[in-house]
Amino acid sequence: MVVVIAANPLSFLHSLRPRHLGPSFATSFGSPNAFMAASSLPSCPKRLRNPFSYPCQVHNQAAHSLPPHKKEIFKSMEDWVQKNVLIYLKPVEKCWQPQDLLPDSNSEEFYMKIKEIREKAKEIPDDYFVALVGDMITEEALPTYQTMLNTGDGVRDETGASPTSWAVWIRAWTSEENRHGDLLNKYLYLSGRVDMKKIEKTTQYLIGSGMDPMTENNPYLLFIYTSFQERATFISHGNTANLAMKYGDKELAKLCGTIAADEKRHEIAYTKIIEKLFEIDPDGTILAFADMMKKKIIMPAHMMFDGQDENLFQHYSTVAQRLGVYTAKDYNDILECKVSKWNVEKLTGLSSEGRRAQDYVCGLVPKFRKLEEKVAMRAKRAPTIPLSWIFYRQV
Ligand SMILES: [Fe+2]
Ligand SMILES: [Fe+2]
């Protein structure tokens, strides 16, 4: 998952919003005004005096909304996960490692290779580095994402080394993801273009802050979230690869493209889990989908902070939007892709609540499409700001 990156169309319009929100899964698809209410909340209502995290408070967090009888569904999926999900993991011996894509420090050519990296990096604009740093910090907050998955009722790794298929997936997925932040971190360190201490501090704050995707310990909500998020990271790393190529840095393009390929595999796995849940429990799954969309898929690094800039995530998102690394259009494309993949329009046999959820979800893409241009214009017109990650140069 993790999970890069950037933002949904509404985050550009409303900036960071507090997590007061929304109806829980249990009451899920209720108020038609929830969308508007969530959007109009003031940001950062209460300052925290906590030196370990982002200085805004997270409110009213719902928990354990999965009804006990639905926990059984996840138990009964054990074998299916073994045969249909674990196949999207790669055996460690077949995996790439950061060292495969970076200069070998034991080699005679080490210094020369670093010089080459730095010469190429000089040709790349600052806004690209801001997007890449944001992606890296998001990857580096991996402890939070493993924690999130282990909040899931019926799927969590109960012991830390549980043999269940769900637990095997969570640990192996985490271990694959661990290479992403590691690789980007080492590249950025060698590039000589960014302020590593400020970046490291941002990562420490972010892990200390955690995240609040409003998934309520509920694996329906969790896996809808990860299905989206993995595709978002696939798109974002893919775009940083394309841009690196445009700037003439093939090695950097390969590095970002290699990470993107992992994200794609992860996306397929999570999307399959939801596909299966639609088969087993169409009503529960469409309600969960609508609930997540009402809350909006917030990005995992939404509580990013460098010790100074309380709107750091918004600033990074604006740069990513402007540069085309991750845009409001991408968010809508992801939604459209999932609606089509899960055949949402053609679901049958739903309860009346389920049908309302179906209509709601199907109506979102055209609604969001209308906002895309507005978001792009707003990002284009946003004033440049100095960012600590690049020694306060303006982007
Ligand atoms: Fe991933
Ligand atoms: Fe990743």
Side-chain angles (χ1 to χ4, degrees), residues 126-331:
D126 276 336
D127 54 359
Y128 178 89
F129 276 98
V130 168
L132 199 63
V133 166
D135 288 5
M136 178 213 110
I137 290 167
T138 309
E139 294 283 354
E140 290 278 64
L142 181 61
T144 299
Y145 317 136
Q146 186 174 23
T147 300
M148 280 313 304
L149 288 170
N150 279 326
T151 65
D153 291 336
V155 298
R156 72 172 61 86
D157 182 349
E158 296 282 358
T159 64
S162 163
T164 69
S165 305
W166 294 109
V168 169
W169 168 266
I170 291 172
R171 289 194 303 274
W173 169 85
T174 305
S175 70
E176 286 198 3
E177 286 288 340
N178 189 52
R179 302 166 304 142
H180 301 171
D182 194 1
L183 175 56
L184 288 169
N185 189 321
K186 283 174 178 154
Y187 165 78
L188 285 164
Y189 170 68
L190 294 176
S191 76
R193 287 291 307 275
V194 294
D195 186 334
M196 285 309 290
K197 182 156 181 184
K198 293 286 181 355
I199 293 169
E200 286 157 352
K201 212 188 206 190
T202 310
T203 302
Q204 188 173 356
Y205 269 118
L206 183 58
I207 296 173
S209 302
M211 70 185 287
D212 181 24
M214 293 173 279
T215 45
E216 307 175 5
N217 310 90
N218 187 318
Y220 286 79
L221 301 179
L222 269 172
F223 295 136
I224 285 165
Y225 181 84
T226 53
S227 299
F228 257 76
Q229 201 47 55
E230 292 287 4
R231 188 163 182 88
T233 54
F234 162 67
I235 290 170
S236 178
H237 290 306
N239 285 332
T240 53
N242 293 338
L243 282 168
M245 200 56 128
K246 193 178 119 191
Y247 302 136
D249 193 334
K250 275 188 201 158
E251 287 75 18
L252 179 56
K254 188 175 174 198
L255 188 155
C256 297
T258 303
I259 297 174
D262 274 7
E263 308 294 15
K264 182 75 197 164
R265 264 189 302 114
H266 297 162
E267 183 210 347
I268 296 171
Y270 286 119
T271 303
K272 271 202 138 187
I273 295 172
I274 294 297
E275 201 178 321
K276 186 71 179 168
L277 287 171
F278 266 117
E279 202 182 300
I280 300 171
D281 178 16
D283 224 48
T285 312
I286 189 62
L287 287 173
F289 193 8
D291 186 34
M292 270 328 282
M293 295 317 299
K294 276 197 165 195
K295 294 164 173 174
K296 298 168 206 90
I297 306 285
I298 58 114
M299 295 298 132
H302 66 108
M303 290 195 267
M304 186 181 264
F305 184 53
D306 60 358
Q308 289 161 316
D309 183 354
E310 288 178 14
N311 294 314
L312 181 60
F313 180 76
Q314 192 195 355
H315 293 147
Y316 150 61
S317 299
T318 302
V319 171
Q321 161 81 36
R322 212 157 38 201
L323 192 62
V325 165
Y326 188 77
T327 66
K329 180 179 179 305
D330 293 323
Y331 182 87

Side-chain angles (χ1 to χ4, degrees), residues 364-384:
L364 284 177
V365 172
K367 189 167 149 187
F368 284 168
R369 288 283 176 219
K370 290 182 196 153
L371 290 174
E372 279 173 18
E373 195 56 28
K374 199 171 168 183
V375 172
M377 285 310 292
R378 183 162 300 190
K380 208 173 162 191
R381 288 193 196 125
T384 59

